[in-house]
Amino acid sequence: EVQLVESGGGLVQPGGSLRLSCAVSGFTFDGYAMHWVRQAPGKGLEWVSGISWNSGGIGYADSVKGRFTISRDNAKNSLYLQMNSLRTEDTAFYFCVRRAVTVVPSSIYFDYWGQGTLVTVSS
Amino acid sequence: QSVLTQPPSVSGAPGQGVTISCTGSSSNIGAGYDVHWYQQLPGTAPKLLIYGNNNRPSGVPDRISGSKSGTSASLAITGLQAEDEADYYCQSFDNSLSGFHVFGTGTKVTVL
């Protein structure tokens, strides 16, 4: 059974830092690209960042570029998101998601999601 | 800010059908990128509902279907059931300067 379990969320002051972790099991972690997607309370979904299977390809949404850093440790079956210079607008549930393997380059989607961890940025 | 537009809400009586639209542009859906759909039940994480415009993962009933045409896509649910009451999001890829993976604004389906 595929499982993605996020941790590391909590309350942090504006300007502070937080590191999220995602522990995965039930599949061969180094065979998949992984992403973070967030959802502000009561709002829609927003893609945050993604990383290829070997960390050779990394991307960020403009809203977090320069402040967040995605990484992974394939030996530990874990995905991370280092969040610095946090702002109140970063308050959200952060979901760890697996990008599905597809043979069609124009078809990119997410087939498994974790339950999310809540990050609250407030003074 | 979402670049895929969905109606905020749709509703229908049990047994009836609803359709949710997802309108994009020439840098995402219109550029040939596939559209995918997710269902989010209250208090839970999103779940993949439709991938590749019109394909259902195992376990998703065939009363749920997707389609794509031009710069738009649609999700259709027939034979509405109480358990269909949820938020639905479309998703695609955007090749503009600030693009990457983009989600729709989300649609709340209410079963009357």
Side-chain angles (χ1 to χ4, degrees):
Chain A
E1 180 191 7
V2 171
Q3 288 194 320
L4 300 90
V5 180
E6 304 93 338
S7 61
L11 175 63
V12 61
Q13 292 187 337
S17 298
L18 215 53
R19 188 195 195 206
L20 305 184
S21 299
C22 172
V24 313
S25 60
F27 65 98
T28 305
F29 183 60
D30 60 11
Y32 292 84
M34 298 295 295
H35 295 251
W36 290 96
V37 174
R38 69 184 180 183
Q39 184 174 37
K43 303 297 184 182
L45 301 171
E46 179 189 16
W47 176 79
V48 173
S49 180
I51 186 169
S52 65
W53 69 275
N54 64 352
S55 305
I58 287 176
Y60 299 97
D62 285 349
S63 57
V64 307
K65 199 174 296 183
R67 300 187 299 122
F68 290 11
T69 302
I70 192 172
S71 62
R72 64 189 294 161
D73 186 335
N74 288 343
K76 295 183 177 180
N77 288 347
S78 293
L79 176 72
Y80 306 100
L81 186 67
Q82 178 66 44
M83 304 185 295
N84 298 331
S85 302
L86 282 162
R87 306 167 180 169
T88 55
E89 55 263 37
D90 295 318
T91 294
F93 287 94
Y94 285 74
F95 297 101
C96 167
V97 302
R98 188 181 86 169
R99 175 185 159 172
V101 173
T102 65
V103 297
V104 180
S106 62
S107 194
I108 307 168
Y109 60 97
F110 311 111
D111 58 356
Y112 285 94
W113 296 61
Q115 285 306 299
T117 187
L118 178 61
V119 172
T120 303
V121 184
S122 175
S123 54
Chain B
Q1 190 166 346
S2 300
V3 299
L4 303 179
T5 302
Q6 301 177 230
S9 64
V10 298
S11 62
Q16 290 187 332
V18 296
T19 300
I20 301 170
S21 61
C22 173
T23 303
S25 68
S26 59
S27 63
N28 41 69
I29 299 174
Y33 295 104
D34 285 354
V35 178
H36 321 286
W37 293 88
Y38 303 87
Q39 178 193 56
Q40 187 175 29
L41 297 170
T44 69
K47 171 191 129 180
L48 180 65
L49 197 64
I50 292 284
Y51 66 93
N53 303 320
N54 55 14
N55 299 288
R56 288 181 301 275
S58 61
V60 175
D62 59 6
R63 58 188 185 81
I64 294 175
S65 63
S67 63
K68 173 191 161 185
S69 178
T71 58
S72 296
S74 294
L75 178 75
I77 306 174
T78 60
L80 268 175
Q81 300 180 6
E83 55 261 37
D84 296 326
E85 189 157 294
D87 293 323
Y88 294 81
Y89 295 90
C90 60
Q91 176 251 317
S92 188
F93 186 86
D94 190 286
N95 62 18
S96 64
L97 283 177
S98 60
F100 268 108
H101 309 283
V102 289
F103 287 93
T105 49
T107 298
K108 169 70 175 180
V109 170
T110 300
V111 182
L112 301 172

